[in-house]
Amino acid sequence: MKTLKTSLPLLNAMVAFEAAARHGGLTPAAQELNIAQSAVSRHVANLERQLSVELFTRQGNRVAITGAGMALAEAIREGLTTIRQAVEELTEHDSDTFVVGCSHDLAQAWLMPRFGLITSLVAEGRVLLQTSNDYRDFDQPEVALSIRFGEPEQWPDLVTEKLFDGEWYPVCAPAFLARHPALATEEPQTFLDVPLLHQATPPRAIDSWQSWIGTDRKLEGPRFTSYMSMIHETIAGRGATLALAGFADEQLRRGQLIRLTKASRRHAGSFHIVTRKNAGPLVRSVAHALLGSVGTS
């Protein structure tokens, strides 16, 4: 028993033939499909050989469609139209959704105070915030814009614009500083004498307390895989921590946290707004608004 796979020609061959029939030539079909003219010719020849039917008559470099070719082209066109309409109907309910991707911590610490800025620009559609720590999730075609940490070379096929540096510095709650006034001296060694809260990074990572203080000794204190959980503990006055610039702006503005040093450290990477090269005016408008909001909330 024949199946659709065994009884029908390959879809690529049918698409190439339909384009050639519609344009009346192989070259314009190749231009439309962005493939070589020889590839279109090969697809048509394979189709004729499989069907044992002449679809074009050839005179030198010129071709003319036959009656059998016209009938097949019309059938293919109707079939592709039906498929396209079905796909459009299946995806229509999500076509007006503006998807923004970023990590959960970035969303909570920086993006949410600006979420209204995005929804005000996406006036005729819905905004969907997609959070993930795996940036590959943001490579899906439905994601209009994402915010990622790293260096532009990591995403060579995308457009990146720096949002803010990967910069960090020590912070604590006002009540904690009142209990440990020596921290105001900005001497790194003073942190050895106070409770510390740690991000779950390797001990000698560039953004660890060991690195900041300049010590190899094991430092006590709870460790957090969630940046925001660590910040909530810091606000509660249970330790000093290393906060990311941009992430801590809101808490610093409200007086929930105090920056303990003028000095800061930086990663090689930065936070970037990442979009596609063919991004439309709405995506560019949202990206521009977010870039302009840096330092505000």
Side-chain angles (χ1 to χ4, degrees):
M1 177 179 178
K2 286 188 175 182
T3 65
L4 284 175
K5 182 177 180 180
T6 58
S7 62
L8 289 178
L10 291 176
L11 180 59
N12 286 345
M14 290 192 288
V15 169
F17 165 69
E18 188 279 330
R22 179 161 32 86
H23 286 290
L26 305 182
T27 299
Q31 292 171 342
E32 176 185 304
L33 300 174
N34 197 29
I35 60 177
Q37 189 265 357
S38 60
V40 176
S41 179
R42 186 169 58 253
H43 279 310
V44 172
N46 289 339
L47 197 57
E48 290 179 315
R49 185 165 51 252
Q50 182 178 358
L51 300 177
S52 299
V53 173
E54 187 180 48
L55 301 174
F56 287 103
T57 58
R58 295 162 176 81
Q59 295 180 345
N61 293 328
R62 301 181 64 182
V63 297
I65 192 166
T66 65
M70 292 178 63
L72 180 60
E74 182 61 28
I76 293 173
R77 195 171 298 121
E78 290 179 359
L80 293 177
T81 299
T82 300
I83 293 171
R84 184 180 66 248
Q85 289 173 346
V87 170
E88 289 175 351
E89 289 174 4
L90 288 172
T91 59
E92 185 177 5
H93 64 285
D94 284 333
S95 62
D96 61 348
T97 301
F98 190 95
V99 182
V100 178
C102 67
S103 71
H104 177 76
D105 284 334
L106 180 75
Q108 295 302 312
W110 189 84
L111 187 60
M112 290 316 298
R114 298 163 175 80
F115 201 66
L117 182 64
I118 301 175
T119 57
S120 68
L121 293 170
V122 189
E124 297 181 359
R126 296 174 293 143
V127 179
L128 172 65
L129 176 59
Q130 177 181 337
T131 60
S132 175
N133 289 323
D134 188 344
Y135 291 155
R136 291 174 297 182
D137 293 337
F138 305 148
D139 291 336
Q140 301 304 313
E142 64 269 18
V143 178
L145 173 153
S146 61
I147 303 175
R148 315 185 191 189
F149 179 81
E151 300 179 67
E153 293 77 14
Q154 295 175 242
W155 312 293
D157 298 325
L158 300 170
V159 176
T160 62
E161 297 178 89
K162 188 169 82 170
L163 195 60
F164 46 79
D165 290 313
E167 178 183 8
W168 70 96
Y169 41 75
V171 298
C172 71
F176 187 85
L177 180 59
R179 296 196 301 272
H180 304 280
L183 294 179
T185 65
E186 300 197 20
E187 291 295 329
Q189 295 297 313
T190 61
F191 290 102
L192 290 171
D193 302 320
V194 304
L196 300 175
L197 305 176
H198 305 263
Q199 189 97 37
T201 58
R204 296 185 181 182
I206 193 172
D207 53 355
S208 69
W209 271 118
Q210 281 90 342
S211 177
W212 183 274
I213 297 170
T215 181
D216 290 329
R217 67 183 257 193
K218 181 179 179 181
L219 301 177
E220 300 298 326
R223 282 163 169 75
F224 301 83
T225 58
S226 166
Y227 174 87
M228 287 307 298
S229 296
M230 181 180 69
I231 288 297
H232 289 315
E233 280 293 281
T234 310
I235 292 172
R238 287 188 272 270
T241 197
L242 294 169
L244 278 163
F247 280 46
D249 289 351
E250 177 73 3
Q251 291 81 17
L252 291 170
R253 184 184 66 81
R254 292 181 179 181
Q256 295 173 306
L257 295 177
I258 294 176
R259 180 170 175 169
L260 295 171
T261 66
K262 295 179 181 177
S264 63
R265 308 276 178 87
R266 289 185 180 180
H267 277 284
S270 303
F271 289 91
H272 298 268
I273 290 181
V274 180
T275 58
R276 289 180 175 77
K277 292 180 179 179
N278 61 347
L282 178 58
V283 175
R284 292 196 297 271
S285 178
V286 171
H288 179 75
L290 291 175
L291 288 164
S293 75
V294 172
T296 68
S297 57

